Amino acid sequence: MTAAEPSPEICFFLSYARPPSAAGEHWVRMFFKELQAQVAHEARRAGRLQPGGELGQGFADFLPRGPERDTAVARALGSARVLVPLYSPEYLERSTTRRERATFLQRVMNGSDSPPWWRIQAVLWTPVSATGHVSDLSRALELGEDFPEYTRHGLETMRRLSEHREHYDAVVRRLAGRIVAAAHQPLPVAAEPVAEADVPGQAPAEAATPFVIAVVAPSEGELPAQRQPACYGLHSVLWRPYRTSHLLGIADRTAQVARQFRMPDRIVDFADRDHLLVMYPGVILIDPWILAREDGRRRLQAAVEIAVSRQWVTLMVVVDRNDPQYAGRGSDLAREAMSMASAAQGSKLTREALEFEQNISRVVARNRRRYLSERPPPDGPPPTPRPRLRDPDDTGDPADPGPDPTVGEDR
């Protein structure tokens, strides 16, 4: 069976932005053919074949435009066990590809507050900027993070150039193994296509309040000379302070929590200035190592000013007490960051993954509630900040905390 003839059960749906030329699509077709063959091989090797002897076919939209194509795509999205999006700037800009992803997510969320993210096996096809970030981009980068050419150029370039073929094959094998493992799980029922206004990445509908997750952290290209690069990525939003506990970056993990409250997420680099926090509730996640940069205090002070002026924004200084660089320089920077952040009401310091998990749900719930009760009317002026009593969700934290005296201690 070919990609143009979707079977009742589709193993994986390859979602991609159609290139402007046939030459560009040639590489997508080659990748799809090789991935489909490798999925079949991995299924046989893992003993996870269906009764008919096949795990199922992949589907990629190589069909000409028309009603038959629309029907085939809808049928495949309604039965595919895994979505494989090929992330590129074009993919994140087009409403059709974003809608495919959103429709699949809506389906796999059926009966659950949060989707099983292992059903989306994303690929970095060509490099994507931080402004085009989606909540599972860090997983696309993680797929081939041990191959520098993957994170630098993307899988398409690796397929084009013979010098990268060995590493390209390794990434395809890894991806196929993950698809087979995910496809073996029970399949949710089909969902109705997502409306245009509900597609992530577009302006939110009036009734949908986004939760903004802004990150103040160095990218791997702007790290201070003494900072080890292990928990950083190409962009600030890919920062993973708890990399030994969380596969996801900390912004992605926060986005999952926001979706549990039925809020669409917006993950942004605070340095881009288009952070939307003056308009919507959110959290600013701060890496104290930003203060080791010459412009670090200015960047952190800008975040503090936003949080001071908006009751629905919380500053969270995030460190890992198990980081080898935490003792000494790391704890000094954390103390300095909290000293600055304490100007904003309810600022928090988290020093381990479990503490972050306990805090972030309370922060999302509280800021959503504050926003809904204090937001200005349409076209009205921003609200005037006013003193508040201690929030009942702030268990264990004073309303206006100073620097944490235990920063740097090992308990």
Side-chain angles (χ1 to χ4, degrees):
M1 183 159 304
T2 68
E5 301 169 332
S7 64
E9 291 231 351
I10 300 298
C11 176
F12 68 92
F13 184 108
L14 187 72
S15 179
Y16 75 103
R18 288 200 172 193
S21 67
E25 186 157 296
H26 167 77
W27 300 110
V28 178
R29 289 177 179 269
M30 293 297 293
F31 167 70
F32 174 77
K33 179 180 178 181
E34 291 156 358
L35 178 61
Q36 187 162 245
Q38 191 63 43
V39 165
H41 172 76
E42 293 294 330
R44 287 191 295 271
R45 193 171 66 85
R48 290 181 172 176
L49 296 179
Q50 293 178 344
E54 293 293 337
L55 177 68
Q57 300 296 310
F59 175 88
D61 179 14
F62 300 138
L63 300 171
R65 298 181 184 277
E68 292 185 1
R69 170 194 175 190
D70 295 341
T71 300
V73 169
R75 188 184 307 138
L77 275 176
S79 65
R81 293 174 174 267
V82 180
L83 183 76
V84 181
L86 302 187
Y87 286 150
S88 65
E90 295 78 17
Y91 187 98
L92 301 180
E93 290 171 1
R94 294 182 188 175
S95 61
T96 52
T97 49
R98 293 200 308 269
R99 195 181 303 113
E100 287 177 357
R101 179 178 176 275
T103 298
F104 183 84
L105 273 176
Q106 177 177 300
R107 183 176 132 237
V108 299
M109 284 181 67
N110 184 51
S112 173
D113 286 339
S114 59
W117 287 103
W118 36 264
R119 287 204 181 272
I120 293 187
Q121 296 295 332
V123 173
L124 184 69
W125 191 241
T126 59
V128 174
S129 68
T131 55
H133 183 73
V134 290
S135 56
D136 52 319
L137 180 57
S138 64
R139 286 187 297 282
L141 290 166
E142 185 270 336
L143 174 67
E145 65 181 357
D146 45 342
F147 303 124
E149 65 270 36
Y150 175 82
T151 55
R152 188 176 301 117
H153 303 299
L155 198 62
E156 181 187 33
T157 295
M158 292 176 68
R159 180 60 182 83
R160 287 173 180 262
L161 302 179
S162 59
E163 63 192 270
H164 300 311
R165 188 56 191 264
E166 181 180 350
H167 289 175
Y168 168 85
D169 289 340
V171 173
V172 171
R173 285 194 300 270
R174 182 179 300 168
L175 176 61
R178 295 180 180 186
I179 291 172
V180 170
H184 190 59
Q185 304 302 316
L187 187 68
V189 298
E192 293 297 321
V194 173
E196 182 82 13
D198 296 331
V199 176
Q202 294 184 203
E206 293 254 343
T209 299
F211 191 84
V212 180
I213 303 148
V215 180
V216 180
S219 66
E220 65 180 17
E222 58 178 13
L223 288 177
Q226 66 271 38
R227 181 57 169 151
Q228 296 176 0
C231 61
Y232 298 93
L234 291 174
H235 308 292
S236 298
V237 293
L238 302 179
W239 172 42
R240 287 198 298 164
Y242 303 122
R243 62 190 184 281
T244 59
S245 304
H246 292 165
L247 277 178
L248 300 181
I250 195 167
D252 285 325
R253 178 65 192 116
T254 303
Q256 286 186 334
V257 174
R259 285 190 291 270
Q260 291 174 2
F261 289 89
R262 301 296 185 185
M263 301 180 74
D265 58 276
R266 294 289 187 87
I267 297 176
V268 296
D269 181 347
F270 186 85
D272 288 341
R273 300 182 184 275
D274 184 23
H275 42 66
L276 303 176
L277 290 166
V278 296
M279 299 169 54
Y280 298 117
V283 63
I284 303 177
L285 304 172
I286 299 167
D287 177 9
W289 280 92
I290 197 69
L291 293 175
R293 288 181 48 83
E294 289 186 5
D295 62 347
R297 291 187 66 85
R298 175 185 59 78
R299 288 163 68 170
L300 181 51
Q301 185 58 40
V304 172
E305 291 172 2
I306 288 289
V308 167
S309 68
R310 295 295 182 269
Q311 295 289 339
W312 54 70
V313 176
T314 296
L315 297 176
M316 292 190 72
V317 177
V318 182
V319 298
D320 179 7
R321 65 161 72 246
N322 297 313
D323 187 326
Q325 291 190 291
Y326 175 70
R329 182 62 168 151
S331 60
D332 290 343
L333 292 172
R335 185 179 294 109
E336 184 180 357
M338 269 307 294
S339 178
M340 294 179 64
S342 64
Q345 196 174 42
S347 301
K348 294 183 179 296
L349 170 71
T350 65
R351 287 165 292 176
E352 55 186 34
L354 180 59
E355 185 180 12
F356 175 79
E357 292 290 332
Q358 292 170 342
N359 282 332
I360 194 61
S361 291
R362 290 198 296 265
V363 166
V364 173
R366 182 189 62 200
N367 289 357
R368 178 180 183 274
R369 184 173 63 249
R370 284 183 176 180
Y371 174 81
L372 292 176
S373 65
E374 299 181 17
R375 62 182 172 179
D379 302 321
T384 301
R386 63 179 187 271
R388 297 181 63 88
L389 297 175
R390 178 172 170 176
D391 193 293
D393 284 333
D394 288 335
T395 55
D397 283 339
D400 189 12
D404 191 318
T406 66
V407 173
E409 295 183 9
D410 288 325
R411 293 188 171 185

